[in-house]
Amino acid sequence: MATISKEMLIGEILNVDQRVIPVLLNAGMHCLGCPSSQGESLEEACMVHGISADELVVELNNAINQ
């Protein structure tokens, strides 16, 4: 079973499990299809959006482990 980390690229996270999409959208990351987001780490994206990467990692892992 995969585990998401804040060092992973957004593109990698989207490939792990599509159930992460609503979690990312609810966190305010509405540009998931943007080419730059595909090469951006989750930590970098969280910094841009002003949210906690550690908290989002927990939510993402909960989503894929349900």
Side-chain angles (χ1 to χ4, degrees):
M1 182 173 290
T3 301
I4 294 172
S5 70
K6 62 185 177 184
E7 293 80 20
M8 291 176 74
L9 300 178
I10 299 294
E12 294 173 323
I13 293 169
L14 294 173
N15 287 328
V16 167
D17 194 315
Q18 296 294 302
R19 291 178 289 180
V20 301
I21 293 172
V23 176
L24 292 169
L25 291 174
N26 287 336
M29 296 185 186
H30 299 281
C31 56
L32 298 178
C34 173
S36 64
S37 74
Q38 301 302 302
E40 186 175 50
S41 74
L42 181 62
E43 186 170 35
E44 292 168 330
C46 286
M47 194 171 15
V48 169
H49 291 278
I51 58 177
S52 168
D54 294 322
E55 290 176 14
L56 187 55
V57 164
V58 170
E59 289 182 45
L60 292 168
N61 283 307
N62 286 341
I64 65 172
N65 291 315
Q66 290 184 2

